[in-house]
Amino acid sequence: MTFPSFSPGDVLAASDMNAVGLWLVKTQTIGSAVSSVTVSDAFSSTYDNYRVIISGGAASTALDLRMTLGATATGYYYGQFYVVFADGTTNTTNGNNTTFIPVASGTTTTLNGVVDILAPNLAEHTVFLSQGSIGSQSAAGFCNGYLGDTTAYTAFTLTTSTGTITGGTIKVY
């Protein structure tokens, strides 16, 4: 694919602009001392795949953020790999028919995470690809998984593993 190149004074056609980068679809502000945040109208038939970026804010303690789609509380499968900062040990965890996908983390100074969500609004399995630090483990890593149903979703919820989160934003592209 050839990426568009623009020069000062160019008249930009819609076809040129439609080929540029990620489009911000939704911004959700995280409240104060909350243990979950629901982002409604995040997914539609307009796009097949999405990127969710969680940043800013802080947590009451080191914690992990867990994602669910719609009201579905079962059928999540994942594998997670991470490296502990203190000693460099590597660890893996997995989930087999769990109630969430781990996607991000928080500490008393930050919230962070990047999640690619493939096909959330299509009638097929939804795939999750996340990366970031793991607050409860003082570690960094990635997690891949899927939701094993064929429901089309429009919303997701982030829930804390423990404690609460305050401030920051969730942006859906």
Side-chain angles (χ1 to χ4, degrees):
M1 171 180 198
T2 303
F3 294 100
S5 176
F6 307 115
S7 298
D10 284 353
V11 175
L12 301 179
S15 61
D16 292 332
M17 294 307 295
N18 289 337
V20 176
L22 297 173
W23 294 100
L24 180 62
V25 198
K26 175 89 178 195
T27 299
Q28 178 77 42
T29 302
I30 299 170
S32 181
V34 297
S35 59
S36 69
V37 179
T38 298
V39 180
S40 57
D41 300 321
F43 314 126
S44 71
S45 60
T46 303
Y47 304 105
D48 291 344
N49 307 307
Y50 294 83
R51 173 163 276 196
V52 176
I53 299 176
I54 303 141
S55 63
S60 61
T61 188
L63 55 79
D64 299 321
L65 291 175
R66 302 165 169 180
M67 181 178 281
T68 55
L69 296 182
T72 301
T74 188
Y76 297 89
Y77 300 82
Y78 66 87
Q80 186 175 40
F81 172 85
Y82 58 96
V83 177
V84 177
F85 298 141
D87 60 14
T89 58
T90 59
N91 294 287
T92 61
T93 61
N94 71 296
N96 182 32
N97 197 23
T98 66
T99 59
F100 62 86
I101 292 279
V103 296
S105 71
T107 67
T108 56
T109 59
T110 188
L111 295 175
N112 72 79
V114 175
V115 189
D116 290 322
I117 305 171
L118 313 180
N121 192 254
L122 300 175
E124 57 187 69
H125 288 187
T126 299
V127 174
F128 302 86
L129 310 164
S130 67
Q131 57 187 338
S133 64
I134 301 169
S136 64
Q137 300 291 324
S138 294
F142 61 88
C143 181
N144 296 339
Y146 71 95
L147 174 55
D149 69 10
T150 56
T151 303
Y153 293 96
T154 59
F156 66 89
T157 300
L158 295 176
T159 305
T160 62
S161 58
T162 186
T164 61
I165 54 177
T166 297
T169 57
I170 301 164
K171 292 191 176 189
V172 182
Y173 295 89

